[in-house]
Amino acid sequence: MTGRQRERRHRRAGAAVVAAGFLAGAGLGTAGCSGGDAVAGDSRGGDAVVALRQAAGRLVDAGSSKTRTSMEMAAGGTRVTIRGAGVYDYRKRMGQLKVLLPQDPAGAAKRRPITELLAPGALFMKNRGAGVPADKWVRVDTRTLSDGNLVTGGATDPFTAAEVLLGTRTAAYVGRTEVAGTGVRHYRGTADLGEAARRASDGNKDSLKAAADGFATADVPFDAYLDDEGRIRKVRHRFSFLNGQQKSPVAVASTTLLYDFGAPARVRLPDTDDIYAGKIAEE
């Protein structure tokens, strides 16, 4: 097998995680991506754009956290949600998630969670199915994905989610509220993926640039909730994703919840011998 063939198969493997069964070919609606004319909010919120662009750096200062994720897609009045939970190290740009796919609409047996390891430029998946041995990992080069792995893995990498906010063009301070019992400042705005890519850390530049080029629009509306130290406690992005199966963009809402800052986040990437290099079954 040539290196090019292996790369194509890995790309198909990654895309199928979300696409198979409920995204590919589904009649999904178009995302609304108008950013409006929001401006920075009042004195209680400070300068909204500056605060949001600094949020990723605040996570690096925190070191690590636990995280919960969800990704929602609307299909003909039915909302499908993929959920994940795990830990993330913001200094090493590495994390581990258990991602639970929805039950097959045909009523098949409950799916086993997929273990995902997140690293700069790469996504590793275990319990992938589709002909992959249970003890093997599938590796996907996220820089080659048209969505930069903001959607493909069924969960947005928490640090990438934070660095999307580096592209904040317009934002408004909505007010004070709480997330999981913690007082936060709620901001609403629109980020530009191209601008985010230019400002991003080296590990995210190529992925965010791929998303800027591959999404239906580079504009990403968001709601972000920052604690009093400027750290993200919750961020919800609304992506407009073209999955190659239909003409209309797919509306995808990705939510990342961060908590328990400083929690241990030990992530060990698989050895080369543990990575599957065979054929991935089409789904």
Side-chain angles (χ1 to χ4, degrees), residues 150-262:
L150 290 172
V151 173
T152 288
T156 304
D157 178 304
F159 193 66
T160 306
E163 291 212 308
V164 168
L165 299 183
L166 291 171
T168 300
R169 291 275 178 96
T170 60
Y173 173 65
V174 178
R176 294 283 299 185
T177 186
E178 287 190 357
V179 172
T182 298
V184 294
R185 291 168 284 149
H186 178 193
Y187 297 95
R188 181 171 293 141
T190 301
D192 177 82
L193 288 171
E195 180 66 17
R198 286 188 286 274
R199 294 172 175 268
S201 60
D202 290 343
N204 279 334
K205 283 185 182 295
D206 290 341
S207 295
L208 287 171
K209 185 178 185 302
D213 295 337
F215 275 16
T217 173
D219 291 338
V220 178
F222 64 82
D223 282 86
Y225 302 79
L226 309 187
D227 64 19
D228 291 337
E229 296 182 49
R231 303 173 300 193
I232 296 170
R233 290 290 179 149
K234 179 181 177 181
V235 61
R236 180 178 176 87
H237 299 103
R238 292 174 293 284
F239 299 118
S240 187
F241 177 57
L242 291 169
N243 69 352
Q245 302 292 324
Q246 58 195 70
K247 294 182 180 179
S248 299
V250 176
V252 180
S254 175
T255 302
T256 304
L257 184 70
L258 306 178
Y259 62 102
D260 200 0
F261 288 100

